[in-house]
Amino acid sequence: MGMQDVWVRAQSIISGSRAVRADTIVQVRWDRNASQYVTLAIAGGEEVHHQARPIGSSAQPLTEKDGTALADELLAAMVSTAALPGSHLLVLHEVGDIAPNGTGLQWCRNAMDNASKDSAS
């Protein structure tokens, strides 16, 4: 078991939708100059952008505090999910007021073989 059984769903207007294996992610970060994205740095130098704010969304751009929180929460979710049996997909869901940050967004765990989801916090 481990990080090879954890995947992260990345979706953006730039790179489309794809699942990235957690053990290939070397860094998760938020950049002020791409404030609607959380950036996944992949081993080998590739970067995948996950769009936390939809294009044309009326929601505020991510602040540094919230963007950094989303990046940190993904890392924490990857670690806690790696301890679970089976394969899991981490997906950023809109959860509104129950989110642990100011974005209304939270990383949630989906089993790779069905559509059930649990909070990954």
mmCIF file of all heavy atoms in Angstrom, residues 1 4-7 84-89 110-113:
data_model
loop_
_atom_site.group_PDB
_atom_site.id
_atom_site.type_symbol
_atom_site.label_atom_id
_atom_site.label_comp_id
_atom_site.label_asym_id
_atom_site.label_seq_id
_atom_site.Cartn_x
_atom_site.Cartn_y
_atom_site.Cartn_z
ATOM 1 N N MET A 1 0.850 -1.183 0.000
ATOM 2 C CA MET A 1 0.000 0.000 0.000
ATOM 3 C C MET A 1 0.889 1.237 0.000
ATOM 4 O O MET A 1 2.031 1.198 0.398
ATOM 5 C CB MET A 1 -0.855 0.041 1.289
ATOM 6 C CG MET A 1 -1.927 -1.011 1.397
ATOM 7 S SD MET A 1 -2.535 -1.519 -0.032
ATOM 8 C CE MET A 1 -3.690 -1.070 -0.825
ATOM 9 N N GLN A 4 1.314 4.963 -4.383
ATOM 10 C CA GLN A 4 0.966 4.537 -5.744
ATOM 11 C C GLN A 4 -0.507 4.168 -5.845
ATOM 12 O O GLN A 4 -1.032 4.009 -6.940
ATOM 13 C CB GLN A 4 1.871 3.392 -6.222
ATOM 14 C CG GLN A 4 1.624 2.073 -5.549
ATOM 15 C CD GLN A 4 2.444 1.884 -4.279
ATOM 16 O OE1 GLN A 4 2.913 2.850 -3.669
ATOM 17 N NE2 GLN A 4 2.621 0.644 -3.873
ATOM 18 N N ASP A 5 -1.187 4.035 -4.690
ATOM 19 C CA ASP A 5 -2.612 3.719 -4.690
ATOM 20 C C ASP A 5 -3.476 4.966 -4.513
ATOM 21 O O ASP A 5 -4.685 4.871 -4.355
ATOM 22 C CB ASP A 5 -2.936 2.721 -3.573
ATOM 23 C CG ASP A 5 -2.270 1.375 -3.835
ATOM 24 O OD1 ASP A 5 -2.416 0.874 -4.962
ATOM 25 O OD2 ASP A 5 -1.613 0.850 -2.930
ATOM 26 N N VAL A 6 -2.821 6.119 -4.499
ATOM 27 C CA VAL A 6 -3.540 7.381 -4.346
ATOM 28 C C VAL A 6 -3.371 8.194 -5.628
ATOM 29 O O VAL A 6 -2.261 8.335 -6.128
ATOM 30 C CB VAL A 6 -2.999 8.198 -3.142
ATOM 31 C CG1 VAL A 6 -3.764 9.507 -2.993
ATOM 32 C CG2 VAL A 6 -3.075 7.375 -1.858
ATOM 33 N N TRP A 7 -4.477 8.683 -6.150
ATOM 34 C CA TRP A 7 -4.468 9.495 -7.361
ATOM 35 C C TRP A 7 -5.140 10.827 -7.070
ATOM 36 O O TRP A 7 -6.011 10.902 -6.199
ATOM 37 C CB TRP A 7 -5.228 8.786 -8.484
ATOM 38 C CG TRP A 7 -4.627 7.466 -8.869
ATOM 39 C CD1 TRP A 7 -4.684 6.295 -8.158
ATOM 40 C CD2 TRP A 7 -3.862 7.181 -10.044
ATOM 41 N NE1 TRP A 7 -4.008 5.301 -8.836
ATOM 42 C CE2 TRP A 7 -3.495 5.809 -9.997
ATOM 43 C CE3 TRP A 7 -3.464 7.943 -11.150
ATOM 44 C CZ2 TRP A 7 -2.746 5.197 -10.988
ATOM 45 C CZ3 TRP A 7 -2.724 7.332 -12.150
ATOM 46 C CH2 TRP A 7 -2.362 5.977 -12.063
ATOM 47 N N LEU A 84 -4.802 4.047 3.864
ATOM 48 C CA LEU A 84 -6.035 3.263 3.740
ATOM 49 C C LEU A 84 -5.870 2.143 2.733
ATOM 50 O O LEU A 84 -5.117 2.270 1.772
ATOM 51 C CB LEU A 84 -7.178 4.175 3.264
ATOM 52 C CG LEU A 84 -7.526 5.332 4.193
ATOM 53 C CD1 LEU A 84 -8.528 6.247 3.508
ATOM 54 C CD2 LEU A 84 -8.086 4.804 5.505
ATOM 55 N N PRO A 85 -6.602 1.049 2.929
ATOM 56 C CA PRO A 85 -6.557 -0.022 1.928
ATOM 57 C C PRO A 85 -7.257 0.414 0.639
ATOM 58 O O PRO A 85 -8.131 1.281 0.660
ATOM 59 C CB PRO A 85 -7.308 -1.168 2.601
ATOM 60 C CG PRO A 85 -8.174 -0.514 3.636
ATOM 61 C CD PRO A 85 -7.459 0.725 4.070
ATOM 62 N N GLY A 86 -6.839 -0.194 -0.459
ATOM 63 C CA GLY A 86 -7.496 0.079 -1.732
ATOM 64 C C GLY A 86 -6.907 1.283 -2.443
ATOM 65 O O GLY A 86 -5.977 1.921 -1.959
ATOM 66 N N SER A 87 -7.448 1.574 -3.603
ATOM 67 C CA SER A 87 -6.995 2.708 -4.405
ATOM 68 C C SER A 87 -8.019 3.818 -4.304
ATOM 69 O O SER A 87 -9.227 3.576 -4.320
ATOM 70 C CB SER A 87 -6.841 2.296 -5.869
ATOM 71 O OG SER A 87 -5.821 1.330 -5.994
ATOM 72 N N HIS A 88 -7.532 5.038 -4.209
ATOM 73 C CA HIS A 88 -8.407 6.176 -3.982
ATOM 74 C C HIS A 88 -8.066 7.329 -4.912
ATOM 75 O O HIS A 88 -6.909 7.514 -5.294
ATOM 76 C CB HIS A 88 -8.286 6.660 -2.531
ATOM 77 C CG HIS A 88 -8.691 5.624 -1.542
ATOM 78 N ND1 HIS A 88 -9.983 5.463 -1.108
ATOM 79 C CD2 HIS A 88 -7.973 4.662 -0.913
ATOM 80 C CE1 HIS A 88 -10.041 4.461 -0.255
ATOM 81 N NE2 HIS A 88 -8.835 3.946 -0.119
ATOM 82 N N LEU A 89 -9.084 8.094 -5.226
ATOM 83 C CA LEU A 89 -8.930 9.282 -6.058
ATOM 84 C C LEU A 89 -9.334 10.488 -5.206
ATOM 85 O O LEU A 89 -10.424 10.505 -4.632
ATOM 86 C CB LEU A 89 -9.844 9.176 -7.278
ATOM 87 C CG LEU A 89 -9.829 10.336 -8.267
ATOM 88 C CD1 LEU A 89 -8.474 10.440 -8.964
ATOM 89 C CD2 LEU A 89 -10.935 10.154 -9.309
ATOM 90 N N ASN A 110 -12.502 9.539 -3.133
ATOM 91 C CA ASN A 110 -13.384 8.615 -3.851
ATOM 92 C C ASN A 110 -12.640 7.297 -3.988
ATOM 93 O O ASN A 110 -11.466 7.305 -4.346
ATOM 94 C CB ASN A 110 -13.684 9.109 -5.272
ATOM 95 C CG ASN A 110 -14.550 10.358 -5.299
ATOM 96 O OD1 ASN A 110 -14.835 10.964 -4.276
ATOM 97 N ND2 ASN A 110 -14.959 10.758 -6.482
ATOM 98 N N ALA A 111 -13.306 6.191 -3.728
ATOM 99 C CA ALA A 111 -12.675 4.910 -4.044
ATOM 100 C C ALA A 111 -12.579 4.822 -5.564
ATOM 101 O O ALA A 111 -13.479 5.252 -6.276
ATOM 102 C CB ALA A 111 -13.497 3.761 -3.488
ATOM 103 N N MET A 112 -11.493 4.279 -6.078
ATOM 104 C CA MET A 112 -11.285 4.220 -7.523
ATOM 105 C C MET A 112 -12.319 3.319 -8.200
ATOM 106 O O MET A 112 -12.583 3.449 -9.376
ATOM 107 C CB MET A 112 -9.891 3.698 -7.855
ATOM 108 C CG MET A 112 -8.798 4.698 -7.582
ATOM 109 S SD MET A 112 -8.825 6.137 -8.686
ATOM 110 C CE MET A 112 -7.762 5.574 -10.019
ATOM 111 N N ASP A 113 -12.921 2.395 -7.437
ATOM 112 C CA ASP A 113 -13.806 1.419 -8.080
ATOM 113 C C ASP A 113 -15.280 1.734 -7.919
ATOM 114 O O ASP A 113 -16.134 1.006 -8.372
ATOM 115 C CB ASP A 113 -13.523 0.007 -7.551
ATOM 116 C CG ASP A 113 -13.573 -0.032 -6.027
ATOM 117 O OD1 ASP A 113 -13.821 1.034 -5.403
ATOM 118 O OD2 ASP A 113 -13.368 -1.113 -5.466
#
